[in-house]
Every structure is written in C-alpha cells, then in structure tokens.
Amino acid sequence: MPRLVTTVGKESSSQYEQAVATMQALIHPGLNVATNPTTCHYLVASGNYWSWILTKKEWIALGQKIDFESFEKMTRSVDSTEAQAKHGFANSSTRARHSYNVVTRRFTIKMPSSLHESIIGSLHQALFRAMESLPVDVQMRLDIRTYLKWPLDHGERPVGKKVPDLALIIHRNPCWILEVGFSQPYDDLVEDARQWLEDAPTVKAVMLVKMTEQPPFRSPIHSRDLADVNLEAWAKPSEMFDAIVADHGRQPFGPVIFSGQSWTGGLSEVWSEWWVRDDHGRPVRQGGRQSLLGPNASPISLPIGAFLPIVGVQTPPLSVEVSIQQVQAKLEVGITYLAMERYSDLYAKVYELQNTSESSVDSGDFRDSSSS
C-alpha cells in the first residue's frame, strides 16, 4: 500500500529546510560536507543543540522525510568498522534526543556531550547511593532514568513528548527533572523547565545546570577545506587522550590544546538553579544560582525529601549532598573527552568525505527501509 505523504510545498519555511539539512548532515556527515559545506560548518558552530520553529504540517512532513526513530539510532554512529580499526576513531554513541511541542511549535535536537555526562553522572551516582539507604519498600517505589520519553499534556491537549537529561521517578511518574545546557541557550533551558512544570503535573521541581564555553569553539578547519586535509599527518584520535593528560601546563577546565589547535574553549561558568511552582501553580525560579566552579563552590544539595512524599510509607528526611570535588573532577575529564569528540568527529568527516563514492550515496529519502 502506498505511503501517505504530506508535502510542505513552496510555503515551507527556511527553518524547516534548515532542520532537514541538519538532520541529513548528522546522519551522513561525510556526504553533506561535500554537498553542503555551509550546513556542516553551521553544525560545528552550533555544538550539540539545535532548535527551530515549525508548523505542525512541517513537523509531520519532516517525520515522513526522516524517520525519527531511525534518526536516533543512526546519528553519531560510524558505519565503517574498517575505518575504526585502521584509524582508531569512533563518534560518540550517545543518541540524539528530539522533541516537538505543538503549542510552542518548537522542534529541538539535543546530543548530550561528555560535559553533560559529567553533571548527569555525578547526580545519578549521588541519587543512587541515597536510594540504597532507604527502606526496601520505599526503594521499590523509586527509579532513576537517564532516557525517558514522557508525554506532555497542556490541559486536556497532548502537546508531544520530552526527554529529560535525568529524572527521578516515583510510582512510575517523574517528580524531579534535571536539564543540562552547554550550547543550549539559557532561555531554552528555562522553556524546558516551564514545559515540565506546566505540562507534566507529577513533576515537582526542575534543576537546571548551565555551562558556558569561552571563547566558543570554532573548527580549526573550515568544511570547504576538508577535502584537502592530509590525514596521514594527523595523530590518531585514540592517541589524543594520553597526550592531553601528559600536558602538565594545561588548565583543568580548558582550553584544551592538541597538535597546536584549540579543540575547546575554557569553562568560564557552570552554575545551577531550581524551578518550582508558586502558590498559583506557575513556574518560578526558587532562590539564586549556585556556582559549581572555583575553590569556594559549595556541594550540591538535592532536597529530594521535600517533594517526594510517598503515600502510606513513612520516609526519613532525605537531602542528597553531591560532592563539589567530584563534580569538578568529572568536568575536568569531561572537557578532555569533549575535545576528543570534536577532533574525532572532524577526523571522521574527513575520512568519510575522502572515502565515500558518489554511487554509494542515497541523496533522497533518509527513512530506514524497515520502517516504510
């Protein structure tokens, strides 16, 4: 049976066209460096977060052109095992996370980086240790999730699904959410918090963590020049970590320098803040921001017990303290891994560009054949 296809036609917005080009470039980085260097240069400059305003018609058409489930599986993967064995590179295995809200009409793609994982891992470990100290009957009602597609409802109207960076679950419902932003603008992080508190009734609090890279990363090689790169003169990505760690003159939070090029800026700020509902049910920021960098930074306190009442079960007061030394140690490793990811990704793009024949390229529909 023929598949019903929605077309957007000439009235499609430039944002829709940019979303299509971006998703195709993320799936086939080598191909799109050759066919659309402007898009690929934009990808590098944008980091790991992209956002567009799309009509519902455009969103449906986008899903028909690029199957979302297949997109998550295919992004950031290396098809050539020969390339991995020979050159020692592999892109991050973290899946892209996408969401669309029919009320705000915002479509977003987020790829958690090593810096995201530094924060997420620290809080996940602290929550897990705290849960182990609780009575068994309480533990059975709690869960921690790092990948949760949760439906949002604006009143009676379903508005889409959202994936948090970390969620604490009680009775199978999220009650506490962590959202981490690196390249993601602060205003978009706040919008995340508002959506959780407005459209997910069981969520009681949202913790935001914002990181800023200064200066912002710029690829040392423009995409239009990748075809002329001599990979034989480049170190293998697998050799990069030890070389960086051996550089005793490096700064713990960046910039990270390798082979005479900057692969990250420095972390100029990392801070957290909390969002809750006020007495009228409206999302508001609670208290001030807490810096997570510097020698005077305080431990992160998660007052989980304040918004996790379990009906029928007596629970002790529960406040989870996260060691700031642990967080900073993970950030130091995370920014090194981020440099490796960027170097490895650029290395992979060059390799794919120089080793992909035009006959092997599917320039049309990027849907997975098994889903058609």
Side-chain angles (χ1 to χ4, degrees):
M1 180 180 295
R3 189 173 74 229
L4 178 63
V5 176
T6 298
T7 58
V8 292
K10 293 183 179 180
E11 72 275 12
S12 62
S13 68
S14 59
Q15 293 208 26
Y16 167 81
E17 294 165 356
Q18 184 69 74
V20 172
T22 298
M23 296 182 78
Q24 290 178 344
L26 289 170
I27 294 172
H28 296 284
L31 159 66
N32 284 275
V33 166
T35 59
N36 196 342
T38 301
T39 295
C40 287
H41 189 68
Y42 157 76
L43 287 181
V44 173
S46 300
N48 60 351
Y49 176 83
W50 302 270
S51 176
W52 305 273
I53 300 299
L54 304 179
T55 66
K56 187 174 181 180
K57 184 178 180 181
E58 289 173 332
W59 175 61
I60 293 173
L62 181 64
Q64 291 174 335
K65 187 173 184 64
I66 302 176
D67 179 67
F68 292 143
E69 292 297 327
S70 298
F71 170 74
E72 287 194 357
K73 296 175 183 177
M74 294 174 67
T75 47
R76 309 284 286 190
S77 64
V78 177
D79 295 329
S80 173
T81 54
E82 176 188 357
Q84 294 186 59
K86 182 177 180 180
H87 296 282
F89 71 78
N91 289 353
S92 170
S93 61
T94 303
R95 290 190 297 174
R97 303 173 180 180
H98 64 85
S99 65
Y100 180 74
N101 188 295
V102 297
V103 174
T104 63
R105 299 188 300 157
R106 184 177 296 277
F107 176 70
T108 61
I109 298 174
K110 185 176 183 178
M111 283 183 166
S113 69
S114 294
L115 282 173
H116 287 81
E117 296 302 326
S118 299
I119 299 295
I120 296 168
S122 297
L123 271 61
H124 187 286
Q125 291 176 8
L127 287 170
F128 185 79
R129 287 194 299 267
M131 284 176 56
E132 286 187 318
S133 67
L134 296 174
V136 175
D137 55 348
V138 177
Q139 292 184 40
M140 293 175 62
R141 292 164 169 81
L142 298 176
D143 195 9
I144 308 170
R145 295 284 178 174
T146 56
Y147 190 84
L148 174 74
K149 284 188 176 181
W150 192 256
L152 302 180
D153 299 304
H154 195 74
E156 299 297 322
R157 180 186 183 187
V159 296
K161 294 181 180 180
K162 196 163 182 61
V163 181
D165 286 316
L166 188 65
L168 186 60
I169 311 297
I170 179 172
H171 290 313
R172 302 184 181 88
N173 293 306
C175 57
W176 173 85
I177 295 294
L178 171 69
E179 293 283 6
V180 182
F182 179 46
S183 54
Q184 181 177 2
Y186 171 68
D187 288 347
D188 285 10
L189 266 182
V190 171
E191 181 61 29
D192 286 342
R194 292 185 182 278
Q195 286 186 25
W196 283 114
L197 293 169
E198 290 177 347
D199 302 334
T202 63
V203 172
K204 307 300 181 185
V206 179
M207 180 180 179
L208 303 180
V209 175
K210 182 72 178 87
M211 298 176 280
T212 302
E213 180 182 25
Q214 197 62 245
F217 174 67
R218 296 185 63 182
S219 176
I221 302 176
H222 197 284
S223 295
R224 62 173 173 263
D225 300 323
L226 295 183
D228 300 323
V229 171
N230 178 18
L231 277 187
E232 297 298 325
W234 283 40
K236 293 181 180 179
S238 58
E239 302 170 354
M240 185 178 184
F241 185 83
D242 290 340
I244 295 173
V245 172
D247 180 6
H248 299 292
R250 68 187 178 96
Q251 299 297 314
F253 305 115
V256 176
I257 311 295
F258 180 69
S259 294
Q261 303 284 359
S262 295
W263 295 97
T264 74
L267 286 178
S268 60
E269 58 178 6
V270 180
W271 48 260
S272 66
E273 65 182 31
W274 286 72
W275 284 72
V276 297
R277 296 185 187 89
D278 64 13
D279 294 338
H280 303 285
R282 296 171 300 199
V284 294
R285 193 175 79 179
Q286 183 183 59
R289 293 173 177 172
Q290 177 183 353
S291 174
L292 306 183
L293 286 183
N296 298 321
S298 302
I300 302 174
S301 180
L302 307 178
I304 303 300
F307 48 84
L308 289 185
I310 301 179
V311 178
V313 177
Q314 295 296 320
T315 60
L318 179 61
S319 181
V320 180
E321 186 169 287
V322 185
S323 165
I324 196 65
Q325 289 79 16
Q326 178 188 5
V327 172
Q328 292 181 359
K330 286 185 176 293
L331 286 171
E332 183 176 351
V333 174
I335 198 166
T336 304
Y337 281 145
L338 177 63
M340 290 178 61
E341 289 171 5
R342 288 171 172 172
Y343 182 87
S344 180
D345 286 349
L346 190 59
Y347 194 107
K349 286 182 174 70
V350 173
Y351 181 89
E352 292 182 13
L353 172 64
Q354 297 179 356
N355 292 274
T356 300
S357 63
E358 294 183 2
S359 60
S360 65
V361 169
D362 176 8
S363 59
D365 194 351
F366 281 80
R367 292 179 60 89
D368 184 82
S369 58
S370 63
S371 64
S372 297

